[in-house]
């Protein structure tokens, strides 16, 4: 069942958490689109004074921002969230950790048949929302779309773009895709650190949660949590197929689960035996081996330190940014990311084919580029919602918006290409 989408509500988009570090970047990205989209945007948060101050700063981008409506609510006050959700076609939220602050907002959006998008990279939270709300959201036609930033848009839409090209050119999807992060530069915000620390803390005390985090099909529908993929890469490895040294990619534990859920939600468009992995790529020689080993050791040391109370507290006090902090404007503008997707399979005549996908962005991946990805996701749901093929449910970017979001991101400067 699809909800009627005629822009009949008071706001097209309410940006919840607009005054936070990432929220303010998303607000800037949306305000930059006011003039050419006619978007009816509202800014949401807990503190009216901070919202008014943000609205004043946004006027430097577009004077029309001075007229933006403000919505005051609280993440743990359900009546205020119900009113917020009822006022909007789409709620776009940056308020994390989502496991602490996101449950009631998702429930309010489902109850009010409101579309929703967020930036979470928290697998346990997404699994919880699937279990609690997928069936109800599907019944009423509310699209709940998680992971609409660097977690996991480049992975999810990059794979979809490559697979659609394979189907068009060769009559069938490829069987195997390896995602290789070739390079990136950017900073880390306190909000991302807080979400990561929350997952680590919960996993320390829950064997069930640790099993969930280790399950490569953790986000697949019930009854479909199986397939050919095994654990994510945790050690240096020379990959003979791509002729490079590889090491772990810190976001693989989120992105791979989202891609596999997309495949299931899209009716197994990539095939039931589809294999997918994500790695960080290095040079093929000795220098690459050393770099891959150093990355693996560094990630292992960091996770060990975060998992032990005394060292975790020390890192929080001395190194890790606090919520509300993040990279400077200069760091964000100098940032970039470059991803290669290596696809292998067979054509209609069972001849081997190889396709190479590229996903690139010219901003800091976690913040500059992520702000654009989330903003365009909200715009896609709000302005093209009636034209999207997806029904309601707890969805992924590919399953909810697919190639329409790819085209939006291309116009916004991201590269999605297949050779």
């Amino acid at each position: 069942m699809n909800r009627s989408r005629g822009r009949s509500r008071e706001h097209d988009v309410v940006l919840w958490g607009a005054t936070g570090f990432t929220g303010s970047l998303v607000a800037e990205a949306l305000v930059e689109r006011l003039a050419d989209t006619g978007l009816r945007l509202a800014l949401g948060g807990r503190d009216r004074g901070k919202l008014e101050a943000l609205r004043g700063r946004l006027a430097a981008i577009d004077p029309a921002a001075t007229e933006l409506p403000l919505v005051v609510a609280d993440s743990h006050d359900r009546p205020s969230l119900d009113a917020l959700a009822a006022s909007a076609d789409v709620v776009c939220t940056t308020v994390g950790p989502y496991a602490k602050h996101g449950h009631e907002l998702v429930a309010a959006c489902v109850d009010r048949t409101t579309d929703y998008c967020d930036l979470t990279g928290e697998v346990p939270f997404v699994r919880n929302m699937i279990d609690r709300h997928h069936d109800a959201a599907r019944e009423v036609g509310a699209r709940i779309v998680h992971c609409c930033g660097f977690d996991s848009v480049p992975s999810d839409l990059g794979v979809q773009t490559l697979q659609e090209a394979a189907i068009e050119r060769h009559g069938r999807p490829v069987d195997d895709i390896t995602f290789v992060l070739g390079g990136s530069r950017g900073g880390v915000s306190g909000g991302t650190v807080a979400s990561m620390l929350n997952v680590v803390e919960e996993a320390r005390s829950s064997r069930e949660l640790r099993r969930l985090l280790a399950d490569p099909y953790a986000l697949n529908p019930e009854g479909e949590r199986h397939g050919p993929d095994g654990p994510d890469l945790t050690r240096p490895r020379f990959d003979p197929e791509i002729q490079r040294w590889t090491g772990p990619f810190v976001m693989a534990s989120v992105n791979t689960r989202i891609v596999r859920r997309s495949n299931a939600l899209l009716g197994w468009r990539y095939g039931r035996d589809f294999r997918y992995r994500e790695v960080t790529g290095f040079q093929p020689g000795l220098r690459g081996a050393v770099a891959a080993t150093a990355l693996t050791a560094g990630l292992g040391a960091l996770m060990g330190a975060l998992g032990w109370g005394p060292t975790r507290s020390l890192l929080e006090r001395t190194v890790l940014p606090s919520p509300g902090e993040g990279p400077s404007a200069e760091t964000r503008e100098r940032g970039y990311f470059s991803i290669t997707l290596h696809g292998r399979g067979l054509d209609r005549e069972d001849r081997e084919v190889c396709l190479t996908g590229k996903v690139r962005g010219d901003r800091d991946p976690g913040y500059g580029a992520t702000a654009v990805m989330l903003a365009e996701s909200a715009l896609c749901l709000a302005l093209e919602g009636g034209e999207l093929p997806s029904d309601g449910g707890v969805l992924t970017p590919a399953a909810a918006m697919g190639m329409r979001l790819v085209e939006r991101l291309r116009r916004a400067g991201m590269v999605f290409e297949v050779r």
Side-chain angles (χ1 to χ4, degrees), residues 40-59:
R40 297 174 301 143
L41 173 66
L43 306 176
R46 291 184 301 170
D47 188 313
R48 178 171 289 276
K50 290 182 178 180
L51 288 169
E52 290 174 347
L54 172 65
R55 185 168 61 179
R57 295 195 300 273
L58 293 172

Side-chain angles (χ1 to χ4, degrees), residues 278-346:
E278 295 194 350
V279 300
T280 302
F282 299 94
Q283 297 176 19
L286 178 61
R287 291 179 64 182
V290 171
T293 301
L295 172 70
T296 303
L299 287 175
L302 175 62
M303 297 311 295
L306 293 177
W308 189 49
T311 50
R312 170 178 167 160
S313 297
L314 178 63
L315 289 172
E316 288 182 286
R317 291 196 307 270
T318 61
V319 177
L320 300 176
S322 301
E325 298 179 351
S328 67
E330 180 182 0
T331 297
R332 296 195 305 271
E333 289 301 317
R334 291 173 54 216
Y336 71 93
F337 65 89
S338 178
I339 294 160
T340 303
L341 297 159
H342 299 271
R344 299 169 186 82
L346 301 174

Side-chain angles (χ1 to χ4, degrees), residues 79-343:
S80 68
L81 295 178
D82 285 338
L84 181 156
S87 73
D89 283 327
V90 177
V91 171
C92 173
T93 174
T94 65
V95 179
Y98 291 86
K100 289 186 175 181
H101 306 298
H103 288 260
E104 292 299 321
L105 181 57
V106 172
C109 287
V110 173
D111 286 351
R112 297 300 186 273
T113 63
T114 301
D115 288 349
Y116 164 105
C117 55
D118 69 23
L119 290 173
T120 189
E122 303 163 47
V123 169
F125 171 73
V126 178
R127 182 71 250 176
N128 193 291
M129 295 301 96
I130 294 168
D131 294 341
R132 290 189 180 191
H133 300 297
H134 178 71
D135 290 342
R138 183 172 55 187
E139 182 177 348
V140 300
R143 297 172 178 133
I144 307 300
V145 192
H146 298 300
C147 302
C148 292
F150 196 59
D151 304 338
S152 301
V153 163
S155 306
D156 201 27
L157 296 185
V159 167
Q160 187 176 39
T161 301
L162 190 149
Q163 291 288 35
E164 292 302 319
I167 292 168
E168 180 181 354
R169 298 174 191 179
H170 304 293
R172 58 196 291 185
V174 296
D175 302 316
D176 183 285
I177 294 179
T178 299
F179 164 117
V180 182
L181 178 69
S184 67
R185 180 169 59 198
V188 178
S189 87
T192 295
V193 170
S195 292
M196 179 176 65
L197 292 177
N198 185 66
V199 172
V200 170
E201 183 65 26
E202 290 184 344
R204 287 177 59 195
S205 57
S206 172
R207 181 178 298 176
E208 181 180 354
L209 181 55
R210 292 195 295 273
R211 285 199 296 266
L212 176 73
L213 292 171
D215 182 356
Y217 294 91
L219 299 182
N220 272 36
E222 290 299 331
E224 300 288 357
R225 292 170 68 175
H226 54 82
D229 282 326
D232 302 312
L233 183 68
T234 57
R235 59 180 177 81
R237 176 179 179 269
F238 183 78
D239 190 320
E241 294 185 349
I242 63 174
Q243 289 293 300
R244 298 179 71 177
W245 278 94
T246 62
F249 178 46
V250 69
M251 298 159 90
S253 60
V254 181
N255 296 338
T256 56
R257 279 65 170 171
I258 290 293
V259 169
R260 293 173 191 134
R261 180 167 177 79
S262 290
N263 187 28
L265 293 176
L266 292 168
W268 306 104
R269 187 158 177 80
Y270 312 157
R272 284 188 173 272
D273 294 325
F274 172 62
R275 297 181 302 277
Y276 181 66
R277 69 195 64 81
E278 295 194 350
V279 300
T280 302
F282 299 94
Q283 297 176 19
L286 178 61
R287 291 179 64 182
V290 171
T293 301
L295 172 70
T296 303
L299 287 175
L302 175 62
M303 297 311 295
L306 293 177
W308 189 49
T311 50
R312 170 178 167 160
S313 297
L314 178 63
L315 289 172
E316 288 182 286
R317 291 196 307 270
T318 61
V319 177
L320 300 176
S322 301
E325 298 179 351
S328 67
E330 180 182 0
T331 297
R332 296 195 305 271
E333 289 301 317
R334 291 173 54 216
Y336 71 93
F337 65 89
S338 178
I339 294 160
T340 303
L341 297 159
H342 299 271

